Each structure stands twice: as C-alpha cells, then as structure tokens.
Amino acid sequence: MNENAILDEALLALKNNTDIESGKTNAINKNGNELHYDFALTLKQRDAIQHYHVLIKQRPSLVQLALLIDNDKEDIVNDTTTRNDGAKTLLVADYVDTKASEFLKNHQCHFIDSVGNAYLNFGSVFVYITGNKAPKKPAESKPSRAFQSTGLKLIFNLLCHPDDILNRSYRDLSEICGVSLGSIGWIINDLKAAGYLSLTENDQRKWADRNGLIQRWVVAYAEKLRPKLLLGYYKSLQRDWYKTVDPKSFSASWGGEVAADHLTHYLKSEFSTIYTDESLGKLVLLNGLKEVPEKSTANVEVLQKFWHFDNPKTPDLVPPLLVYADLIASGDSRNMETANIIYREFLDDHH
DNA sequence: AGCATGAGGTGATCAAAATG
DNA sequence: CATTTTGATCACCTCATGCT
C-alpha cells in the first residue's frame, strides 16, 4: 500500500463514519530536513473548516509518534510562511492502534487511519474514534536486514566512527562490530537499496542520507535492539547515588538522562541508564541496587553494552548518538527538548 | 503448555579481483 | 604467474512467533 492509497482509504473511512467532507488535496513538496509534508488538504463540516498539512506513515510506532510530535512542535514555530492559514498537521496512517490513539489525542495531534480510527478537534467538530481493528492485510512489510538487531549494531558503528570506516572490508567490519561476516553484505546492500548509502565513481562507499539514517536508526533501535539489551530494572535507595560512582571501574558507561545531563547541563536526571559489559553483579552489589520487576518502580536500568570501541572524549558516557536514542526511547516528553539539543550539537552534520 | 514454522543470523567456502 | 584479499553464497543453527 503506497502513500496515496493510504490517504485515499483513510479519507474514505472518515467519510463513511462521519459527515465531514474532505476538500481537495494538493501535493506539496516541502523538503525540510526534518519533516516532509506530502499533501495539503481541508476538512469541513457545515461551517467548521480546518486546513491541514498531511503526514503519511505506515503503522507508526509510539516512538515514531513521540518523535513526530516533538519535531512538529518545532516546525510550526519555525515555519511562519506556509502556516499562516492556521494549518495543523494531520497524521494519516493505515492503522493507529488504541495506545497510539490515546497518545495522539493527549498531544492534540489530529489523525485519521484507513480503518476509521480518528481524532479531530476543530471548531464545533470533535471526533474521537478508536478500537477499530487493524486491516488484515498487514501492509506489505519488506523485511530489511539493516534494521534488525545485527544491522543496527553495524550502523551504530558506522555512524559513530569517522566516515573512512565505510570503506573497510567486510571482514574488518565484521571484526569491529561483532557481527558475522555473512550479515555484513546483507546490511550494506539494504542500506544502498534504501538510499542511505551510495557509491562514488571509483566504487567507494559514502553516505547518501546520513541524517535520515540517524532518524531511522533511533526508531528501530528503540523497537528492535534496545529491548533485547535489558539486563534489569533497579531501585537505588539514595537519590543522586550515581554522582559518586565511577562507571569505568565496572566497565560501564552512562546513557540516557545522566549522560544528557553531562553533555548539556540542561536536564536534571531522575532516571539512570547504564550500559555495562560484564560486571553487572559487582555493579549492583557495590551500589546497593535492588532489582525490581517493572520500569515504573525503578530509577535505574541496566543494559548490555553492544559495541566495542572507546569514547575517548567522554569515556564515562556512551556515544552521543546513543544518548539521543535513549532519550527518544524513553518516550518521556520531558526528555525530547534535551534530545533535540544533543542532536543539533553532537549529531547533525558533525562530520 | 507444547509444537511447528520460518525469519534472522552465522561461519565455512567459493570464485573473482587485487596484489606483487 | 602464485598468492592473498575480497564480497557473495550456502547450509545450518537459533530463537521468536503463532498455532493447536
């Protein structure tokens, strides 16, 4: 199902469920570096009218939505030229599940999907439909090796090293990343096919869309790799316990909020994320951490370190890309602003 | 729960290309 | 030319998922 088909079906579903009419849709090409609005359209019911810029997504995940909402907020502030008609952003998807619906409604983000779920709120119009079942044809999923757990490891290494690592041999990459030789080819070719990587005239590999890959990586990391890395949730008794800890002595590094605090001095961290290689038992024991089953009752999470290079400038911290990813993955809107600061300062065209 | 299935991941092995 | 290095490919393994 392509983007046009999703839009058509979603508008049809809306028409069947409500008496809202959709005005003409115009394709617009706004090549902003962050967001890309595909269409402009108008919805109206009697005298209530609302202009929209349309953003089309397939099966958006919660992480994607959090990112989208945050970027959109900034975008509206920065974009006075095309927004002066009071246009809002309308998310159009093939399917938005109940959790995502609730999330979108809470953030005042209007959406419609192809099975009739919707949240709209303008003028006298208020529509909130949720719970409609996913379309049975689970939207052609082209499984890409690049964004599975091994692919994400390789990409992380590629993004964190100087760009000349791109042209190391598959065997070198396999060694550096701890990914099997057989996987490297699949992943590299996936990245080329998806337009993130290209070849120069003399067959050197080079980035074609590095920033786009970062965005894609962050989302896939939160969904595919991060859950597998979780070693446990813990509760520490003293507040600010982490300030006296030297993570190096546990072959560990800070991620998430603690690292963000170090990098930006902008965020006061309340939840600690720590990536460790092996000394989990020692770490837990010496710091008086108590294991708890749920994230909600924890204030520390311990994750398995999945890379093998050092971070020379700030050895106590994980690389900025991962700090950024941790903040995004937390889903905490409080962290999004800090995440953007880190992106701009450490990740955006920083090579 | 137990079972079957298949996608994802691995390392050995291949032929082509590079090296000298 | 012989040798080494490279990317591609293969059979096999594992583990998550879905079904009964």
Side-chain angles (χ1 to χ4, degrees), chain A residues 93-347:
Chain A
D94 53 338
Y95 176 59
V96 175
D97 66 28
T98 47
K99 273 190 123 165
S101 308
E102 200 178 328
F103 183 79
L104 290 167
K105 182 168 81 90
N106 289 340
H107 288 83
Q108 303 295 311
C109 180
H110 298 198
F111 74 89
I112 58 176
D113 80 4
S114 69
V115 292
N117 297 307
Y119 169 69
L120 297 171
N121 189 0
F122 59 90
S124 57
V125 175
F126 179 87
V127 178
Y128 183 48
I129 304 171
T130 183
N132 284 341
K133 213 166 70 60
K136 38 194 155 314
K137 215 20 183 157
E140 113 281 7
S141 55
K142 44 168 69 176
S144 172
R145 292 288 240 274
F147 298 98
Q148 303 301 322
S149 52
T150 53
L152 293 168
K153 281 187 208 173
L154 171 60
I155 295 170
F156 181 69
N157 277 270
L158 296 179
L159 288 172
C160 288
H161 283 84
D163 284 352
D164 57 3
I165 195 183
L166 281 177
N167 288 298
R168 302 289 286 272
S169 71
Y170 284 11
R171 278 168 183 76
D172 282 357
L173 292 175
S174 167
E175 184 76 21
I176 293 167
C177 306
V179 167
S180 77
L181 173 60
S183 297
I184 305 288
W186 281 107
I187 299 161
I188 296 284
N189 287 328
D190 276 357
L191 289 176
K192 284 183 200 155
Y196 295 114
L197 203 59
S198 61
L199 295 177
T200 62
E201 313 74 55
N202 47 354
D203 284 345
Q204 295 283 299
R205 292 185 283 263
K206 64 162 200 181
W207 292 123
D209 182 12
R210 194 174 183 278
N211 286 334
L213 181 59
I214 289 175
Q215 295 303 322
R216 182 83 184 271
W217 185 87
V218 167
V219 172
Y221 171 72
E223 286 167 2
K224 292 284 176 56
L225 180 53
R226 201 174 199 278
K228 293 184 181 173
L229 302 173
L230 183 71
L231 297 174
Y233 292 119
Y234 296 88
K235 176 95 187 158
S236 69
L237 301 180
Q238 320 87 305
R239 210 179 140 77
D240 295 347
W241 65 282
Y242 57 87
K243 286 183 177 165
T244 60
V245 174
D246 176 25
K248 283 194 299 298
S249 56
F250 305 101
S251 59
S253 313
W254 297 115
E257 296 181 26
V258 177
D261 185 18
H262 278 81
L263 291 177
T264 66
H265 307 292
Y266 181 81
L267 176 82
K268 191 160 71 71
S269 88
E270 296 177 358
F271 189 87
S272 310
T273 301
I274 191 160
Y275 286 84
T276 185
D277 243 349
E278 46 207 345
S279 319
L280 178 61
K282 207 164 124 196
L283 172 79
V284 170
L285 210 63
L286 292 185
N287 293 290
L289 299 177
K290 183 165 147 313
E291 180 156 19
V292 295
E294 293 275 331
K295 181 173 184 185
S296 55
T297 56
N299 60 4
V300 183
E301 64 181 343
V302 182
L303 300 167
Q304 178 68 49
K305 200 177 159 189
F306 61 96
W307 65 98
H308 309 110
F309 58 89
D310 293 326
N311 190 24
K313 281 161 101 176
T314 49
D316 287 354
L317 311 181
V318 304
L321 173 60
L322 188 53
V323 179
Y324 177 67
D326 279 343
L327 295 181
I328 299 294
S330 75
D332 188 338
S333 57
R334 202 171 51 91
N335 285 337
M336 292 300 166
E337 209 174 333
T338 316
N340 280 323
I341 294 171
I342 290 176
Y343 182 83
R344 275 196 296 271
E345 192 160 336
F346 297 94
L347 302 174

